[in-house]
């Protein structure tokens, strides 16, 4: 049995179908009944609904599990406690292999969510369980492209001059599936996962422009504006605001660059490029627009 946490999230949504297709016995952990219903409809028979911050949820999720794919939910104030508790609960339950989805350059001390993942990595290393650590670069995310496709503006809340490496979640979850299904080959490994290249905001804008065939403006929005757009009342989200401010500051003062060698080796094929990702998302966008325009819809 493989336990997948954050199972209806960015990674989980892609990973679960891959594991199901491979015939794996899966348990999914989510927070809401809405996600539970979606996962059951997709063919997951065993779904634990609960808060990862609750030790009881963690304990019952780990029961009878052989391998864990642990993804901590995005920007959660209890991320460190949850990660430590997951490792401890897995060890207590006799889990054989713990695969932790961490982050590229978890040693970066001025990024709060990186330091937390570094600490969870260390806790895992000390647990005595077989471990594999995946360190994805910044995700290529479809929702970041929406304003570019709809309004012709690509926006970032950090400097447009700094370079970043990215990674496609389809590639990350191909690796995760392979690691979970062939655990022993990957025991004790830490893998940095980045697609080829590193790009400034301007570079990304040029790639999107080439795909959509019309000029896409690139805009830097300051972090406070970004936070207000995201949360409305920012004061109600002090933890998330602190993290996002740290991200904007770090990404505005330093590049965030990885290397594609490890990902290429793990996939046994070239990783998805940003251009390919944008092409794929633009096709989806155009099909959606066409469907909305279709008569009778
Ligand atoms: N964004 C990036 O570029 C990037 C890059 C590298 C690493 N990371 C790291 O990747 C991780 C996030 O991965 P992701 O984007 O795949 O996950 P995600 O989309 O944030 O995960 C959402 C899933 O987590 C579940 N969830 C949320 N809070 C929960 C809680 N308290 N208890 C139980 N389940 C909960 C949700 O359940 P419901 O569906 O029921 O709500 C949902 O299924 C974060 O640790 C982030 O720092 C992100």
């Amino acid at each position: 049995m493989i336990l997948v946490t954050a199972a209806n999230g960015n990674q989980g949504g892609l990973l679960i179908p891959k594991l199901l297709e491979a015939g794996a016995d899966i348990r999914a952990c989510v927070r809401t009944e809405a996600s539970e219903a979606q996962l059951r409809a997709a063919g997951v028979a065993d779904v634990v609904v609960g808060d990862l911050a609750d030790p009881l949820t963690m304990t019952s999720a780990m029961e009878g599990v052989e391998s864990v794919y642990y993804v901590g939910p995005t920007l959660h104030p209890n991320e460190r406690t949850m990660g430590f508790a997951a490792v401890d609960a897995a060890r207590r339950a006799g889990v054989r292999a713990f695969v932790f989805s961490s982050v590229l350059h978890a040693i970066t001390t001025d990024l709060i969510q990186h330091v937390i993942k570094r600490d969870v990595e260390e806790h895992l290393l000390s647990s005595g369980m077989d471990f594999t650590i995946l360190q994805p670069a910044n995700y290529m995310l479809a929702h970041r492209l929406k304003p570019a496709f709809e309004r012709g503006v690509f926006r970032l809340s950090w400097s447009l001059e700094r370079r970043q490496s990215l990674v496609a979640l389809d590639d990350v979850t191909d690796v995760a599936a392979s690691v979970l299904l062939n655990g022993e080959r990957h025991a004790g490994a830490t893998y940095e996962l980045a697609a080829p290249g590193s790009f400034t905001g301007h570079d990304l804008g040029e790639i999107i422009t080439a795909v959509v065939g019309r000029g896409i403006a690139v805009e830097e929005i300051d972090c406070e504006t970004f936070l207000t757009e995201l949360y409305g009342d920012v004061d109600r989200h002090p933890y998330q605001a602190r993290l996002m401010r740290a991200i904007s500051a770090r990404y505005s003062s330093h590049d965030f660059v990885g290397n594609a060698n490890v990902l290429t080796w793990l996939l046994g094929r070239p990783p998805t490029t940003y251009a390919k990702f944008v092409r794929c998302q633009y096709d989806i966008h155009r099909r959606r627009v066409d469907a909305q325009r279709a008569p009778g819809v």
Side-chain angles (χ1 to χ4, degrees):
M1 162 93 71
I2 299 171
L3 170 69
V4 179
T5 67
N8 205 25
N10 292 311
Q11 287 203 48
L14 294 174
L15 175 61
I16 295 278
K18 292 176 186 181
L19 293 175
L20 286 174
E21 199 182 321
D25 188 16
I26 303 171
R27 177 177 295 155
C29 179
V30 287
R31 186 184 38 182
T32 62
E33 285 172 7
S35 277
E36 179 193 17
Q38 272 185 40
L39 286 163
R40 288 198 190 280
V44 184
D46 192 345
V47 185
V48 172
V49 182
D51 193 332
L52 285 171
D54 172 6
L56 288 180
T57 300
M58 203 73 89
T59 304
S60 60
M62 294 289 175
E63 221 168 88
V65 163
E66 199 195 337
S67 312
V68 175
Y69 190 60
Y70 182 77
V71 180
T74 301
L75 302 182
H76 197 290
N78 294 341
E79 183 179 349
R80 183 184 278 100
T81 318
M82 283 175 173
F84 277 44
V87 170
D88 293 343
R91 196 191 48 226
R92 277 197 309 274
V95 166
R96 186 188 53 75
F98 193 108
V99 183
F100 174 43
S101 181
S102 179
V103 70
L104 183 68
H105 306 321
I107 56 169
T108 312
T109 45
D110 47 4
L111 290 171
I112 297 155
Q113 78 283 16
H114 287 227
V115 178
I116 292 170
K117 289 180 180 67
R118 190 217 75 89
D119 293 351
V120 176
E121 286 188 14
E122 185 180 33
H123 197 62
L124 177 57
L125 248 62
S126 311
S127 72
M129 281 182 290
D130 277 1
F131 67 86
T132 308
I133 295 168
L134 305 186
Q135 298 183 327
N138 279 333
Y139 298 166
M140 297 179 192
L141 289 168
H143 73 79
R144 283 190 182 276
L145 291 168
K146 206 167 174 260
F149 295 162
E150 290 178 356
R151 293 186 279 112
V153 184
F154 180 70
R155 308 169 87 207
L156 288 176
S157 57
W158 51 81
S159 167
L160 302 176
E161 314 301 328
R162 290 290 174 191
R163 290 183 305 127
Q164 292 209 336
S165 293
L166 299 164
V167 69
L169 286 165
D170 209 24
D171 291 354
V172 173
T173 53
D174 271 2
V175 169
S178 165
V179 166
L180 289 162
L181 298 168
N182 309 286
E184 276 155 34
R185 272 190 64 205
H186 301 284
T190 298
Y191 295 135
E192 294 188 345
L193 305 180
S198 60
F199 309 93
T200 65
H202 301 292
D203 297 334
L204 298 177
E206 279 174 23
I207 291 169
I208 303 167
T209 294
V211 171
V212 304
R214 66 191 152 89
I216 298 293
V218 182
E219 184 182 292
E220 180 181 341
I221 43 170
D222 72 84
C223 188
E224 298 313 310
T225 307
F226 171 75
L227 285 168
T228 305
E229 287 178 6
L230 189 63
Y231 293 118
D233 185 355
V234 179
D235 291 343
R236 296 185 61 193
H237 302 270
Y239 178 77
Q240 289 80 1
R242 194 157 66 86
L243 258 71
M244 294 306 307
R245 288 179 185 124
I247 289 171
S248 284
R250 173 76 199 188
Y251 289 175
S252 294
S253 55
H254 297 81
D255 295 335
F256 191 73
V257 171
N259 182 290
N261 285 345
V262 171
L263 179 58
T264 307
W265 171 71
L266 286 163
L267 291 171
R269 60 166 170 82
T272 307
T273 60
Y274 189 65
K276 184 175 177 192
F277 172 75
V278 176
R279 273 197 302 275
C280 176
Q281 293 305 319
Y282 193 52
D283 282 348
I284 295 168
H285 169 75
R286 273 194 313 201
R287 278 201 297 275
R288 195 176 300 131
V289 170
D290 288 348
Q292 279 163 0
R293 281 200 196 121
V297 176

